[in-house]
Amino acid sequence: MNTSESTFKKWEMGLMGCLGVIAMSLITVAVIPSLRNSVKNAFLSANRDILAKVSGRLSADGPQITVLKIKSKNTIFIEIYSQEESGELVLMSKIPLFDARDGHVLMQGNATNLAITDVDKDGQLEIVVPTYDDQSVPRLNIFRYNPLNKAFDRATAPADSIQK
């Protein structure tokens, strides 16, 4: 076979060689945990800003909880921790909110961006998390504790719960 009859040109062979080196480098980074973590930390920021914290008992026989409202990158979420008898905090739930801006609501004459209160007047306290969507429309996220599955369910806000 003559070199002039080769099916690949020199630049195509060089390109395939470069792509092979890149593929081997990526595989090496993916396989070695320390390299993988270094690359991950270079691209992803681990900034977590705690916007608000509230603690309380949801009912007389309910768990003692601590709720954190956290902003990380362009997302807001809440983390709910239960307090064990030993004083240790255990993560119960991490709930993402679908809005990217922190909001405030007026409760009992005070502006707050996170609260535990009885919104529907049923004797059980709910977690209230106000936010704004991308068009600056206010949203009131309410989470109710479900003792059967020990989780938090999203609820809708009553029409008379927001003061204007």
Side-chain angles (χ1 to χ4, degrees), residues 40-112:
K40 182 179 175 183
N41 291 336
F43 286 104
L44 297 176
S45 174
N47 289 345
R48 287 172 35 111
D49 296 325
I50 298 177
L51 302 174
K53 174 186 173 184
V54 68
S55 297
R57 189 172 295 279
L58 296 176
S59 64
D61 57 346
Q64 174 73 23
I65 64 166
T66 298
V67 182
L68 299 176
K69 185 177 185 181
I70 299 172
K71 183 169 187 169
S72 179
K73 295 191 180 188
N74 290 331
T75 59
I76 295 178
F77 56 92
I78 59 171
E79 290 181 354
I80 305 166
Y81 295 90
S82 66
Q83 188 169 359
E84 302 295 320
E85 290 86 22
S86 63
E88 180 182 355
L89 293 176
V90 177
L91 181 65
M92 289 179 70
S93 184
K94 182 176 180 179
I95 304 171
L97 304 174
F98 302 110
D99 303 318
R101 295 187 182 131
D102 189 20
H104 294 79
V105 67
L106 188 64
M107 293 203 147
Q108 299 173 354
N110 296 316
T112 183

Side-chain angles (χ1 to χ4, degrees), residues 5-22:
E5 296 175 8
S6 175
T7 58
F8 293 109
K9 296 181 178 144
K10 288 183 181 181
W11 69 272
E12 290 172 334
M13 292 297 285
L15 179 64
M16 287 181 25
C18 288
L19 291 175
V21 168
I22 291 171

Side-chain angles (χ1 to χ4, degrees), residues 6 15 34 37 60 63 74 79 96 113 122 132 140 147 152:
S6 175
L15 179 64
S34 61
N37 289 336
N74 290 331
E79 290 181 354
N113 61 349
D122 66 347
Y132 289 100
L140 192 59
F152 290 86

